[in-house]
Amino acid sequence: MAPAVPQAAPVAVFKLTADFREDSHPKKVNLGVGAYRTDDCQPWVLPVVKKVERMICEDQSLNHEYLPILGLPEFRSSASKIALGDDSPAIKEQRVGGVQSLGGTGALKIGAEFLRRWYNGTNNTATPVYVSAPTWENHNGVFSDAGFKDIRPYRYWDAARRGLDLTGFLEDMEKAPEHSIFVLHACAHNPTGTDPSQEEWKKIADVMKRKKLFVFFDSAYQGFASGSLEKDAWAIRFFVSEGLELFCAQSFSKNFGLYNERVGNLTVVAKDGDNLNRVLSQMEKIVRTIWSNPPSQGARIVAKTLTSPELFAEWQGNVKTMADRVLLMRSELKSKLLAMTTPGTWEHITQQIGMFSFTGLNPKQVEYMIKEKHIYLMASGRINMCGLTTKNIDYVAESIHEAVSKVQ
Amino acid sequence: MRAFLDTPAVPPTQQARLLAAFSRDAHPDRVYLAGGEHLNEEGKPTIPPIVSQIKQQMGTDPTLIPEYPSALGLPEFSRRATELALGRESRAITENRVLGVQTVGGAGAVRLGAELLRRWYDASSSWRGPVLLSSPCDESLAEILEAAGIGELRQYQFWDAERCGLCVEKLLEDLKECPEQSVIVLSASAHYPTGVDLSQEDWKRVSEVMLMRRHFPFFLMPAQGMCKGDIDQDAWPVRHCVSLGMELLCAQSFSHNFGLYGDRVGHLLCVLRENSLLLAVQSQAEKLVRTLWSCPSVGGAHVVATVLGNPAHFVEWQAGIRGAVERCMLVRESLREKLRLLGSTGQWDHLIKQGGLYCSTGLNDQQVEFLAKRRHVYILPNGCLNISAINSRNLDYVAESIHMALTSPF
C-alpha cells in the first residue's frame, strides 16, 4: 500500500454515537442515530418478525443455495407491490420489476450505477444529480462513487419558516437541465421530517414531467411515518399514475426492524415490459460486480410477512405501534415546550413526520445541549424522536428550553 | 417520457445459458455438473451439522439486537476469520497490522479489495493496474475489477490443457516479465475452475519472484478447509507470504466451508507492512463500504463467529468439512477407476491430484457439447465440472458419458 494513506473523515452520526457511549453522565440521552427505540430505550424486534423467524427456522423445505442474482422472486414482487399498491396499473401492465439489494443503500447503489452507465446517453457522468438541501449525507457519496461528477442541491428546507421551501424547490427544477436526476424522499424526509403535501407533490410531479427530469425515490420509512402504508406511498403512486418512469429505492430496515439483515429493493417502473427486461439484465450485471447475489434471511422474512394476510395484518399493527409512539413523543415534546413558554415556535415538531425532527436549534445551542446537558444531537439540530421516552422527555424539554433561552 | 429506450440487453452468461438448457431438458438421466454450490450425497448444499445446529439455536434465540452493525461488520467474526486464515500466532496479528473487514460474500471482498487498491495502492491517484489473473479464472473476477475502475487486466499462464495440469514454468515467466509492482490474483487453494493448485515448492518459487519483482499478492480463498480437508494446508500459501514479510490482500468466502451460501459471508483481509497504517486504511475501507452496501448482514457472520470461537464447535466443524472433502475425494477416485475400467486410454491421475469443488476433465469444446446434447450431462465449456454434484446415483452414467464423449468419432 502507499506509504501515506490519509485518514478518512469519520461519519458525523457515528462519531456522535461513539461520544455518547463514552459519556458516563447518568442522564445522557442519544438523539442521534436513526433506529427505532422502545419507551425503555431498547431496540425492538417486531413480534411478527420473531414469529416468522421461527417459522423459517423450522421449515425443512427451504433451499440453502445461492439466491438468484436479482434476489428472492417473491420478495421482489411483494416489495414492489407494497410501494406501488396491489392494484397498480403499472404492475398489471408488467412493467414493474425489482432488484433485491443490501438495504436502501444497496438499492440506491444499483440504481445510481445503472443510471451512470445507461441513462441520458452512455456513460454520461455529466448528467446532473439533484439532492435536497439538506439530505441524508450518503446520497452524495453513493452517486459520486457511481461516477457522477455534478451533484447539486435543490432548495428544500426553509430554515426561517421551518418548513418546505416549495418555491425554491420548484424554481430549481425549472432551471435544471433536461434529463437531470432528482432524488426525492418518498416520505419522512431525512433529516428535516418535512414532506410536501399532496397538492405540493402534484406541482412537483408536473414540473418533473414537463422538464423531462428523472425521478429517483428514496423510500426508507413506508408505514413508519404516518402508520399507514398507503399514505406513506402516496407520492410514489401518484407519480406512477402520471405515467412517469422512475426508480424507487426501498428499505425495510426501519419498518421491519431488520437493520442488520440489510433488506432493500430497487423498484423499477419502466415504459413497457421489454424496456424493463433490458434494464434488469443490465442491473443483474452490476449486481454481479458488487455482491454477486443478495443475502436471503431478511428477504424471506419480509416476503413471508407480506404475502400472508394474517402476518401482513400483524405487521401493519407492529408498524403502527412504532409510528404511534413517535407521534406521541412529538405531541408531548411540543406541549411541554409550549407549557414552559419556551421562546420560538414549536408547531413544526408535530407538523414534521417520521423519525427525525429539525428542531431549529443552531450549532451553538446544539453544542450546549451536548456539553452541558449530555443530550446528543446532530449539529444541524436534527433529533431522532425515537430517542425520546416518557422517562427522559421532561429532561430533554427542559434542556431545549435552557439552550434556547441562554444561548443565541 | 421514455428514459431507457436505448438500454441494450445483456446476453445471458455462460452459466445462465447452461442452466437454462438444463432446465429445458426433460431427459430422466440429466445431470447438472456446473453449479456453484458444494453438494452432498443427496444433491443438496453441504451444510456441516454444527452449522445447522447453531442456526437452529439462533432462530429461536433473540439475542441479536436489531441495530445497524458497524460498516466493517461484526468484530468477533472478523477476529475469527483473520485467525482462521493466518493462524492465531501469526506475526502479522501479534504485531497488530492486519485489517479485517466483513464483506458481502467473497465477491464483496474482491470488490472492496479492488476499490482499496485502485485508490491507495500507490501514491498517485491514477493507478489502474496492471492486475494479473490466472488463465483460466472465474469470469466474474474481471468484471468486478473493471467495475472498481481497474483498467489494465492481464493474464498469467496457469493451466496447461495438454498436460492437464499446471504450467509452473510459464507462470513464473509471466510473473518475471510483467511490470514491477503488479497486483497478482492468486488462488490459495481450490482453484476455480480447474481444481489445480500449486505445491508448496511451487509457492516458494512464486513468492521468490513476487518479492524480486515487488509484486502485490491478492489471494482468493473461497473454501478454506474444503480443498485438502485441512484448514492450515489450504491457507499455507497466504501464511507463507506473510512470513516473508509481504503485504497482501486475501478475499475469503464462508459460503462453501460453512454451507452459508444464502447468507453472503465474506471477509477481506489486509496484511499491512506496519501497524501505523492500520487506522488510516481502516477508515478508508469504512468510507468505501458506506457507498457499496453501507454495512453487511450479520446473521451468517454470527454463526461463523460462534462456531470458530468455541473449541468444541470448532472441532465438530472441522470434522464436518473433512467428511465432505473425503466424499469428494472418493468420487474422484471412483470416477478415475470407472474410466479406467471402461477402457479410457487417457490419463486420469490428475483427477485425484486436484482438490476442491471443481475438476478439469480435459474435454474439448466438441466433447463438452456432445455431453450436453447426446448425454444430457452439463459441464462448463472449458471442460471443468463440479465434482460434488456426482454421487452414487449418477456416477456410472457420468463416467460412461465422459468415456463416450472421448471415444465418439466427430
Side-chain angles (χ1 to χ4, degrees):
Chain A
M1 290 292 189
V5 176
Q7 185 94 6
V11 177
V13 69
F14 298 144
K15 174 143 196 328
L16 195 71
T17 296
D19 291 344
F20 168 81
R21 286 214 180 102
E22 293 201 7
D23 188 334
S24 52
H25 195 273
K27 283 185 145 182
K28 67 176 183 175
V29 183
N30 187 359
L31 300 179
V33 179
Y36 179 77
R37 292 284 179 270
T38 62
D39 197 57
D40 293 314
C41 229
Q42 294 301 311
W44 192 49
V45 178
L46 275 61
V48 73
V49 168
K50 215 178 288 196
K51 184 188 281 189
V52 174
E53 271 174 343
R54 212 169 299 131
M55 287 163 76
I56 290 174
C57 202
E58 285 157 13
D59 186 350
Q60 297 301 321
S61 73
L62 273 182
N63 166 340
H64 293 277
E65 292 164 9
Y66 290 119
L67 278 186
I69 298 169
L70 293 178
L72 191 69
E74 53 269 37
F75 167 76
R76 296 163 56 203
S77 55
S78 58
S80 292
K81 225 172 177 194
I82 203 82
L84 302 185
D86 280 340
D87 49 2
S88 170
I91 293 181
K92 290 203 174 73
E93 289 159 23
Q94 301 190 314
R95 52 189 185 87
V96 174
V99 179
Q100 182 188 335
S101 314
L102 276 272
T105 303
L108 286 164
K109 174 70 171 173
I110 301 301
E113 291 284 347
F114 172 85
L115 289 170
R116 191 263 294 161
R117 284 166 174 73
W118 302 110
Y119 174 68
N120 198 24
T122 312
N123 205 35
N124 188 352
T125 57
T127 303
V129 178
Y130 282 80
V131 298
S132 65
T135 193
W136 182 50
E137 70 3 277
N138 211 14
H139 280 153
N140 267 285
V142 169
F143 280 90
S144 85
D145 272 10
F148 287 103
K149 303 270 182 262
D150 185 358
I151 301 175
R152 313 176 181 184
Y154 60 86
R155 279 170 286 170
Y156 193 84
W157 171 248
D158 182 337
R161 286 177 41 246
R162 289 188 187 171
L164 179 69
D165 177 5
L166 183 68
T167 312
F169 190 169
L170 294 172
E171 258 175 43
D172 286 346
M173 281 194 291
E174 292 286 355
K175 287 192 294 194
E178 273 196 356
H179 306 300
S180 296
I181 297 164
F182 269 73
V183 180
L184 305 176
H185 298 232
C187 71
H189 183 270
N190 177 2
T192 68
T194 300
D195 292 337
S197 66
Q198 289 185 3
E199 281 315 302
E200 289 168 335
W201 274 123
K202 285 180 180 167
K203 294 195 174 119
I204 294 165
D206 187 60
V207 183
M208 292 278 171
K209 268 178 94 163
R210 217 178 354 97
K211 298 286 300 181
K212 301 192 179 52
L213 304 171
F214 185 80
V215 176
F216 199 149
F217 273 111
D218 184 345
S219 175
Y221 302 99
Q222 189 181 1
F224 193 97
S226 68
S228 155
L229 295 164
E230 289 77 22
K231 211 158 161 218
D232 291 348
W234 188 88
I236 305 168
R237 297 174 188 192
F238 176 72
F239 275 60
V240 171
S241 74
E242 291 286 289
L244 288 158
E245 287 179 301
L246 55 82
F247 286 173
C248 179
Q250 301 167 265
S251 167
F252 293 91
S253 293
K254 308 338 182 244
N255 58 13
F256 266 84
L258 288 172
Y259 304 93
N260 57 22
E261 296 290 358
R262 314 303 297 125
V263 200
N265 188 54
L266 177 69
T267 286
V268 175
V269 180
K271 203 65 184 176
D272 56 46
D274 174 59
N275 258 288
L276 175 71
N277 289 333
R278 286 186 276 115
V279 170
L280 290 178
S281 77
Q282 291 292 351
M283 289 184 172
E284 198 180 73
K285 189 172 177 191
I286 293 167
V287 168
R288 284 206 308 266
T289 67
I290 312 179
W291 54 69
S292 198
N293 46 81
S296 57
Q297 180 68 353
R300 289 215 160 97
I301 294 171
V302 173
K304 216 166 166 63
T305 307
L306 295 182
T307 54
S308 143
E310 270 174 37
L311 295 172
F312 183 78
E314 199 180 329
W315 173 59
Q316 283 184 296
N318 290 169
V319 172
K320 192 155 187 310
T321 300
M322 293 191 286
D324 284 348
R325 193 178 100 65
V326 169
L327 288 168
L328 180 65
M329 290 298 100
R330 284 186 181 278
S331 87
E332 294 274 286
L333 182 62
K334 183 177 90 168
S335 43
K336 286 186 195 290
L337 291 172
L338 289 179
M340 287 186 282
T341 61
T342 306
T345 56
W346 300 102
E347 291 311 304
H348 59 282
I349 302 280
T350 48
Q351 277 164 0
Q352 289 164 4
I353 194 168
M355 204 175 261
F356 302 115
S357 173
F358 244 26
T359 54
L361 293 180
N362 67 38
K364 287 216 182 82
Q365 292 163 339
V366 169
E367 207 184 318
Y368 179 89
M369 292 284 281
I370 298 176
K371 294 226 155 67
E372 304 302 324
K373 311 303 289 183
H374 306 273
I375 296 174
Y376 290 76
L377 63 155
M378 301 294 287
S380 60
R382 183 191 91 166
I383 60 172
N384 176 1
M385 300 305 299
C386 301
L388 290 174
T389 68
T390 51
K391 289 128 193 133
N392 66 24
I393 195 160
D394 285 324
Y395 178 63
V396 173
E398 279 156 22
S399 306
I400 293 176
H401 181 88
E402 260 183 56
V404 168
S405 311
K406 286 186 182 170
V407 183
Q408 308 310 316
Chain B
M1 174 168 96
R2 315 192 65 151
F4 310 120
L5 260 186
D6 299 327
T7 310
V10 179
T13 58
Q14 221 177 58
Q15 221 93 352
R17 278 199 309 270
L18 215 50
L19 193 54
F22 174 78
S23 307
R24 284 191 303 266
D25 190 335
H27 198 274
D29 293 330
R30 66 177 193 169
V31 188
Y32 192 72
L33 302 178
E37 291 94 351
H38 194 286
L39 303 179
N40 59 22
E41 178 64 22
E42 285 72 47
K44 294 270 184 300
T46 303
I47 305 177
I50 185 66
V51 172
S52 301
Q53 184 190 313
I54 300 295
K55 264 190 142 175
Q56 190 83 1
Q57 273 168 233
M58 282 178 179
T60 48
D61 166 18
T63 51
L64 265 186
I65 301 168
E67 213 164 41
Y68 286 117
S70 127
L72 302 175
L74 295 183
E76 188 54 25
F77 163 76
S78 202
R79 187 173 142 222
R80 300 297 177 190
T82 301
E83 285 173 357
L84 187 68
L86 303 184
R88 199 168 297 174
E89 276 88 48
S90 172
R91 287 190 7 210
I93 296 179
T94 50
E95 289 165 18
N96 195 17
R97 49 187 180 85
V98 184
L99 170 67
V101 182
Q102 182 189 337
T103 59
V104 185
V110 174
R111 178 61 183 259
L112 181 61
E115 295 276 354
L116 271 173
L117 286 172
R118 206 247 300 169
R119 284 168 181 71
W120 304 113
Y121 181 49
D122 74 4
S124 84
S125 55
S126 58
W127 184 82
R128 292 290 178 267
V131 175
L132 277 76
L133 297 167
S134 68
S135 166
C137 67
D138 185 341
E139 295 178 322
S140 66
L141 282 176
E143 279 184 355
I144 298 175
L145 293 168
E146 276 163 357
I150 292 174
E152 219 197 312
L153 291 178
R154 303 188 188 187
Q155 289 199 304
Y156 58 84
Q157 294 169 89
F158 184 82
W159 170 250
D160 184 336
E162 275 174 32
R163 288 176 43 238
C164 239
L166 268 181
C167 46
V168 184
E169 301 305 326
K170 295 206 180 124
L171 197 172
L172 291 168
E173 238 176 75
D174 286 344
L175 292 187
K176 282 178 194 150
E177 280 175 17
C178 65
E180 276 199 356
Q181 298 189 286
S182 293
V183 171
I184 318 287
V185 177
L186 299 160
S187 183
S189 46
H191 180 266
Y192 177 93
T194 66
V196 148
D197 294 317
L198 289 97
S199 67
Q200 288 187 6
E201 278 317 301
D202 294 334
W203 278 115
K204 285 179 181 160
R205 296 174 69 196
V206 165
S207 53
E208 234 177 79
V209 174
M210 302 274 293
L211 277 171
M212 187 178 68
R213 302 289 295 160
R214 300 190 295 151
H215 292 326
F216 186 97
F218 191 159
F219 277 104
L220 304 174
M221 197 147 62
Q224 190 182 355
M226 299 286 275
C227 184
K228 300 179 187 62
D230 181 320
I231 51 175
D232 299 314
Q233 273 197 57
D234 285 354
W236 191 88
V238 182
R239 298 179 188 187
H240 176 68
C241 287
V242 170
S243 71
L244 295 176
M246 295 173 88
E247 279 192 321
L248 56 85
L249 289 180
C250 179
Q252 301 165 263
S253 168
F254 292 84
S255 294
H256 301 283
N257 55 10
F258 272 77
L260 290 172
Y261 298 99
D263 298 81
R264 315 306 295 122
V265 193
H267 191 249
L268 178 71
L269 210 60
C270 312
V271 177
L272 301 165
R273 191 148 297 153
E274 288 159 9
N275 159 269
S276 60
L277 282 174
L278 190 60
L279 287 178
V281 177
Q282 183 178 297
S283 71
Q284 295 297 347
E286 271 173 316
K287 186 173 178 204
L288 287 165
V289 167
R290 281 281 283 170
T291 57
L292 285 171
W293 53 70
S294 207
C295 51
S297 59
V298 304
H302 201 60
V303 172
V304 175
T306 303
V307 170
L308 295 182
N310 175 312
H313 295 338
F314 187 80
V315 166
E316 271 189 67
W317 169 67
Q318 282 187 291
I321 56 177
R322 206 168 287 140
V325 170
E326 277 163 7
R327 189 186 83 80
C328 276
M329 285 181 176
L330 195 56
V331 169
R332 287 175 182 272
E333 278 169 21
S334 309
L335 186 59
R336 181 178 78 138
E337 186 57 17
K338 296 241 178 252
L339 288 166
R340 188 186 71 79
L341 289 171
L342 286 166
S344 224
T345 51
Q347 267 283 29
W348 293 102
D349 285 346
H350 65 273
L351 267 184
I352 55 165
K353 284 195 198 137
Q354 297 162 5
L357 187 60
Y358 263 73
C359 84
S360 28
T361 59
L363 292 178
N364 64 33
D365 289 343
Q366 286 176 310
Q367 290 161 340
V368 170
E369 204 183 321
F370 175 92
L371 273 184
K373 295 232 153 69
R374 307 286 207 82
R375 299 289 296 176
H376 314 278
V377 174
Y378 295 79
I379 73 175
L380 290 178
N382 55 21
C384 300
L385 60 82
N386 179 336
I387 202 87
S388 73
I390 300 175
N391 50 51
S392 55
R393 293 179 303 285
N394 60 28
L395 175 62
D396 286 337
Y397 184 74
V398 170
E400 268 165 40
S401 305
I402 293 177
H403 180 70
M404 285 173 69
L406 288 166
T407 53
S408 289
F410 287 117

